[in-house]
C-alpha cells in the first residue's frame, strides 16, 4: 500500500498534467481563432481587390450618391470638412483616427471579448464576419469613388496633411479605393460598441458609442466616405443583428429563498 507522501506526489503530478493539458487546449483554441480571423480578413482584402478596375462606374455612382443625398437634404460632406479644415492639428487627429484606430480597436475588442466574455466574443466574431461578407457583395455590385475624388471643394486631407493610408489610385495595389460603399469603418465601430455595451455594466457603458460617433465624423470630414456609405453600413449591421441568434449567457445564480423557521414540536401529552 503506497505511503501518504507517495499518494500526495501522485496527486500533484495528476493536477499538473491536467493543468498542462488545459493550457495546451487553450493555446490551440486561441491560435485557431487568430487564424480564423486572419483568414476572414485576407479573404475580404482579396475580394475587395476583385472590385478594382471599375473607375468609370465608380465615378458615375458617386454622382448619383451625391444627388440622392441632396434630394433627401442630408448636409453636404464639405460642410463637415469645413469644421476642421482650418485647424491643422484637428485634421491630423482625424487622419490618424481614420488610419490607426479602425483595425487596432476592433482587434483589441475581439481579444478582450475572447478572454473575458467568450460567448459574446463568438457573437461578435459572427457579426463582423457576416457584415463583412455582405459588404463585400455591395463593393462588387456598387463600386463607388469616395468624395475626396469627386466632390468639388472636397480636400483629400490624408494626401495634403498626412498621414494617408492610400497611394495614388492608379498605382495603389494594397487597397481598392473605389469601394467606399458601405463604410466598414462605421459598421465595425458600431459592432464593437454594441458588443462592449452588452458585455459591460453601469450607465457609463453607453460611452462606448463615442467610438462609432467619432468614426462617423472622421470618415466624412476626411473625405473618405459619404453619409450614405455610413447609413448603408448601419442598415446592414442592423439586418445582421436581427438575423443572427442572440448570445445566450449564463443567468445569475438564483439566491435560495429564506426558509421559514421550523415550529417547535408540540410537547407530548403527559399520561
Amino acid at each position: 500500500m503506497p505511503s501518504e507522501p507517495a499518494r500526495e506526489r501522485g496527486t500533484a503530478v495528476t493536477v499538473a498534467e491536467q493543468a498542462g493539458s488545459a493550457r495546451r487546449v487553450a493555446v490551440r483554441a486561441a491560435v485557431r481563432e487568430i487564424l480564423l480571423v486572419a483568414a476572414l480578413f485576407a479573404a475580404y482584402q482579396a475580394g475587395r481587390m476583385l472590385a478594382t478596375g471599375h473607375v468609370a462606374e465608380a465615378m458615375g455612382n458617386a454622382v448619383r450618391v451625391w444627388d440622392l443625398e441632396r434630394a433627401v437634404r442630408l448636409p453636404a460632406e464639405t460642410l463637415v470638412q469645413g469644421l476642421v479644415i482650418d485647424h491643422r492639428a484637428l485634421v491630423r487627429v482625424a487622419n490618424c483616427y481614420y488610419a490607426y484606430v479602425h483595425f487596432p480597436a476592433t482587434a483589441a475588442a475581439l481579444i478582450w471579448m475572447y478572454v473575458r466574455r467568450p460567448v459574446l466574443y463568438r457573437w461578435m466574431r459572427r457579426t463582423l464576419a457576416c457584415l463583412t461578407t455582405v459588404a463585400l457583395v455591395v463593393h462588387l455590385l456598387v463600386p463607388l469613388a469616395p468624395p475626396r475624388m469627386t466632390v468639388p471643394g472636397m480636400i483629400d486631407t490624408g494626401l495634403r496633411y498626412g498621414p494617408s493610408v492610400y497611394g495614388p489610385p492608379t498605382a495603389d495595389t494594397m487597397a481598392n479605393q473605389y469601394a467606399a460603399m458601405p463604410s466598414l469603418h462605421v459598421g465595425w465601430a458600431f459592432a464593437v460598441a454594441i458588443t462592449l455595451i452588452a458585455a459591460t455594466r453601469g450607465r457609463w457603458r453607453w460611452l462606448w458609442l463615442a467610438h462609432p460617433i467619432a468614426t462617423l465624423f472622421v470618415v466624412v470630414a476626411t473625405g473618405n466616405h459619404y453619409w450614405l456609405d455610413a447609413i448603408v453600413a448601419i442598415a446592414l449591421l442592423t439586418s445582421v443583428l436581427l438575423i443572427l441568434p442572440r448570445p445566450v449567457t449564463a443567468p445569475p445564480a438564483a439566491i435560495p429563498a429564506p426558509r421559514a423557521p421550523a415550529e417547535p414540536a408540540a410537547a407530548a401529552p403527559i399520561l
Side-chain angles (χ1 to χ4, degrees):
M1 182 176 182
S3 63
E4 189 67 24
R7 285 198 299 270
E8 291 180 357
R9 285 194 299 272
T11 302
V13 170
T14 302
V15 171
E17 289 176 347
Q18 291 175 348
S21 177
R23 282 194 296 270
R24 287 191 293 272
V25 170
V27 169
R28 284 196 295 268
V31 171
R32 183 171 61 250
E33 291 297 328
I34 292 172
L35 293 176
L36 176 60
V37 173
L40 289 173
F41 175 73
Y44 169 68
Q45 285 294 92
R48 275 175 63 96
M49 296 310 297
L50 291 177
T52 58
H54 302 279
V55 179
E57 187 179 356
M59 293 295 184
N61 287 335
V63 174
R64 284 185 279 274
V65 166
W66 176 263
D67 291 342
L68 176 60
E69 288 187 344
R70 306 294 75 75
V72 298
R73 299 186 182 279
L74 286 174
E77 287 78 4
T78 50
L79 296 177
V80 179
Q81 189 176 83
L83 297 175
V84 299
I85 201 63
D86 293 329
H87 308 279
R88 182 165 299 189
L90 289 179
V91 174
R92 286 188 61 83
V93 168
N95 290 340
C96 289
Y97 201 96
Y98 181 83
Y100 303 134
V101 174
H102 176 50
F103 288 114
T106 305
L110 282 169
I111 292 170
W112 186 84
M113 288 288 176
Y114 180 80
V115 174
R116 301 297 298 273
R117 302 287 190 273
V119 174
L120 287 173
Y121 162 79
R122 289 189 289 272
W123 180 57
M124 180 181 179
R125 184 193 63 191
R126 294 190 190 108
T127 299
L128 291 176
C130 291
L131 173 61
T132 304
T133 301
V134 177
L136 178 57
V137 174
V138 178
H139 291 332
L140 295 171
L141 295 177
V142 189
L144 180 66
R148 58 185 166 82
M149 293 184 184
T150 59
V151 175
M154 201 79 178
I155 296 171
D156 186 340
T157 60
L159 182 62
R160 179 169 297 189
Y161 300 108
S164 176
V165 295
Y166 303 116
T170 56
D172 191 352
T173 59
M174 298 301 295
N176 178 11
Q177 298 188 45
Y178 301 104
M181 170 78 74
S183 170
L184 279 182
H185 272 72
V186 173
W188 285 17
F190 271 102
V192 166
I194 290 170
T195 312
L196 289 174
I197 289 171
T200 51
R201 296 291 179 266
R203 59 183 179 180
W204 295 106
R205 71 185 189 276
W206 297 104
L207 289 177
W208 292 118
L209 288 173
H211 172 48
I213 292 172
T215 301
L216 174 58
F217 179 82
V218 161
V219 299
V220 175
T222 57
N224 284 291
H225 286 285
Y226 295 94
W227 292 113
L228 196 59
D229 301 339
I231 293 171
V232 171
I234 294 171
L236 293 177
L237 174 61
T238 302
S239 301
V240 168
L241 293 176
L242 290 175
I243 293 172
L244 286 180
R246 295 186 178 183
V248 179
T249 56
I255 301 176
R259 298 177 59 183
E263 296 184 0
I270 300 176
L271 299 178

